[in-house]
Amino acid sequence: MTFERYLKMLHAMLEGTLTSLEVFFLTIIFAVPLALPIAMGRMSKNKFLSGLINVFLLIIRGTPLMLQIMLVFFGPGLLWGGDGFSRLNSALIAFIINYAAYFSEIFRGGIESISKGQYEAGQVLGMTSSQVFFKVILFQVIKRIVPPMFNEIITLVKDTSLARIIALQEIIWAGQAFMKGSQGISGAIWPLFFAGVYYL
């Protein structure tokens, strides 16, 4: 294989890597802040709100992320006609909603693991409920949720490969293109090893 072909393959793999990284980082940036209000709503004393969020979480956590990506990408065009979201935006919307749901459950578990005495002690000192949460509870919650959050983040790195279902040209899509010959080069397997090193 000529040097020019190697360069072409390497360039395509690097572009795929950048797309995968873009999906990963933007998901983290938007899903983590969105997860906190979802967790608070899930714990709300308002039965309607908590019930609505429970149904939302049941649907999101009970269906495959791949299906959600397909629904976001194909759904608007099939339901209302016209153009839907771009491939990248569809993947981002699906990933952000999906991971916000999972992160919210981690947040909820962390918040509920703090003893009621912590809240009562803060109130005895004259602090408001929001002051108790942000000045006393939140820092303890962060310490407790770090291990499960990192597990989800590791899963997210690998889940970015699911975006290929809507032909988003992430790293696996780029590697497989050279194996199948859709880029004018066929039978090359080393790009898939390149992708494996990226995920490791």
Side-chain angles (χ1 to χ4, degrees), residues 43-181:
M43 297 183 296
S44 172
K45 293 178 181 178
N46 183 319
K47 297 294 183 184
F48 176 76
L49 177 61
S50 62
L52 198 63
I53 291 178
N54 274 329
V55 171
F56 164 76
L57 291 174
L58 177 68
I59 293 168
I60 297 299
R61 296 175 68 214
T63 56
L65 177 55
M66 184 182 291
L67 177 63
Q68 295 165 22
I69 295 168
M70 292 170 68
L71 284 173
V72 173
F73 182 65
F74 296 112
L78 294 173
L79 293 173
W80 302 293
D83 294 332
F85 301 108
S86 70
R87 286 178 168 79
L88 179 60
N89 288 339
S90 296
L92 286 172
I93 291 167
F95 272 92
I96 289 166
I97 292 171
N98 183 278
Y99 273 86
Y102 280 94
F103 290 154
S104 72
E105 286 296 276
I106 293 172
F107 286 170
R108 182 186 62 81
I111 292 167
E112 291 182 346
S113 70
I114 306 297
S115 68
K116 299 291 183 185
Q118 300 272 357
Y119 294 92
E120 293 167 357
Q123 289 168 349
V124 167
L125 293 172
M127 300 171 76
T128 64
S129 296
S130 59
Q131 286 176 325
V132 172
F133 180 77
F134 287 105
K135 293 185 177 180
V136 179
I137 305 301
L138 188 59
F139 294 106
Q140 297 178 66
V141 169
I142 290 171
K143 183 179 178 182
R144 294 183 184 195
I145 67 172
V146 165
M149 283 291 287
F150 271 104
N151 285 339
E152 283 300 317
I153 288 169
I154 289 168
T155 302
L156 172 59
V157 172
K158 294 178 283 187
D159 277 354
T160 58
S161 63
L162 295 176
R164 67 181 296 279
I165 195 66
I166 55 170
L168 181 67
Q169 297 182 23
E170 47 72 57
I171 190 167
I172 295 287
W173 190 95
Q176 193 176 20
F178 292 109
M179 191 174 68
K180 296 189 305 183

Side-chain angles (χ1 to χ4, degrees), residues 9-40:
M9 293 166 72
L10 184 60
H11 178 68
M13 293 304 295
L14 290 174
E15 282 187 347
T17 301
L18 291 176
T19 302
S20 295
L21 288 172
E22 186 176 8
V23 172
F24 170 76
F25 283 113
L26 288 175
T27 299
I28 294 292
I29 289 168
F30 290 103
V32 171
L34 180 60
L36 187 57
I38 294 172
M40 300 303 282

